[in-house]
Amino acid sequence: MYLMSCTDTGKLRDMMALSPATRRKCQVNNMHLTRGIDFSEVNGFAILNSYNGSTDFPAYPYSMHNRLTGKCEALHFFEDDYKFAHATWERLEQTSYRLAKFECLFAPDFSLYVDAPIHLNKDSVYKSRFVGAFWQCTCGFNVIPTASWAGVDSFPWCFEGLPNRSVIAVCGVGVTHSSAAWELWVTGLHELERRLSPTLIVIYGGKVEVPGLHTPLQFIPDTITQFYRKKKK
């Protein structure tokens, strides 16, 4: 139904029926795509539905999407933001249309930073939840929610909009580079477990033991670490 409601460039047909001026007003910050999406009361983040389907398929980065068939394949966004931010926000309709071929999509992992202003980090969470919810509610795609956090002070809001009792994905690249990064990451995983009781945590990165965590873990081998290892040689 989603594909039938779009033009061959991925734009919703009911929007194309509006005058150009009206269309431009509606499209600011993707406001025309909010229909059917529920938002949280505190920060107004889109609310994602749980995913407890299969995770037994290879996962590839968004930058490879044009080279993949999408059949029995998942697409993740654990890359530098510049590789997907414009496509999944400014061009969300067109990008979504092209990604319909994939078995499953991870919600985009817009970066959060410990030293960034809070409104920038909240904007990253807003975009991640919004895109994931649009794919779920409007497009009918299988979406694995993605969690991320900045410092401990982000815990009250960074998990808002994520579902309980669901598969949740997180990035684990670089967490062993320092004791501070490791401690913050482990603390975040425990907070994620306490708040959401996930059924499985899918980690993009090398296998590690997380002390005291009771949720099953599944690891996706990353290419980022390999790249930096090559650079150091």
Side-chain angles (χ1 to χ4, degrees):
M1 290 297 294
Y2 162 69
L3 296 177
M4 292 175 61
S5 67
C6 297
T7 66
D8 56 5
T9 59
K11 294 187 176 182
L12 296 176
R13 294 185 186 277
D14 58 354
M15 283 298 299
M16 299 307 293
L18 302 175
S19 69
T22 302
R23 196 186 314 148
R24 283 194 294 270
K25 291 178 182 179
C26 295
Q27 289 175 332
V28 174
N29 289 324
N30 288 321
M31 289 298 295
H32 64 300
L33 304 181
T34 60
R35 185 171 53 193
I37 297 176
D38 293 325
F39 293 86
S40 62
E41 294 183 1
V42 180
N43 287 289
F45 298 152
I47 298 174
L48 289 173
N49 298 321
S50 62
Y51 175 84
N52 283 296
S54 175
T55 56
D56 293 330
F57 31 63
Y60 300 95
Y62 170 76
S63 56
M64 293 180 60
H65 76 278
N66 284 327
R67 291 175 275 168
L68 302 168
T69 66
K71 186 176 182 180
C72 298
E73 294 172 334
L75 200 69
H76 69 74
F77 297 81
F78 295 117
E79 300 187 284
D80 291 323
D81 289 24
Y82 75 87
K83 293 184 178 181
F84 65 83
H86 179 73
T88 57
W89 188 248
E90 301 296 334
R91 297 177 58 84
L92 177 55
E93 291 172 272
Q94 298 93 318
T95 298
S96 301
Y97 190 79
R98 295 196 303 270
L99 302 185
K101 63 183 182 179
F102 286 92
E103 184 74 24
C104 186
L105 301 173
F106 288 70
D109 183 44
F110 289 95
S111 297
L112 276 67
Y113 300 96
V114 173
D115 56 352
I118 187 172
H119 74 275
L120 292 181
N121 282 334
K122 284 190 174 183
D123 184 62
S124 291
V125 173
Y126 177 85
K127 290 177 179 177
S128 176
R129 301 288 191 273
F130 187 97
V131 175
F134 175 73
W135 286 342
Q136 284 183 334
C137 301
T138 301
C139 305
F141 298 164
N142 292 321
V143 176
I144 296 177
T146 299
S148 56
W149 49 92
V152 174
D153 57 345
S154 71
F155 289 173
W157 50 264
C158 68
F159 303 111
E160 189 177 323
L162 293 174
N164 291 300
R165 301 297 300 168
S166 171
V167 175
I168 301 288
V170 302
C171 183
V173 175
V175 299
T176 59
H177 288 177
S178 71
S179 58
W182 172 253
E183 183 178 351
L184 177 59
W185 188 68
V186 170
T187 302
L189 286 176
H190 281 279
E191 187 70 8
L192 170 66
E193 182 179 68
R194 185 184 72 82
R195 288 175 178 267
L196 301 177
S197 301
T199 55
L200 175 71
I201 298 177
V202 178
I203 297 175
Y204 180 73
K207 290 186 178 181
V208 292
E209 293 289 335
V210 182
L213 201 69
H214 303 291
T215 305
L217 304 178
Q218 178 179 330
F219 293 88
I220 301 174
D222 74 278
T223 56
I224 300 175
T225 303
Q226 296 172 9
F227 172 76
Y228 283 113
R229 283 174 179 169
K230 290 179 182 178
K231 293 275 284 186
K232 289 179 181 180
K233 290 181 180 181

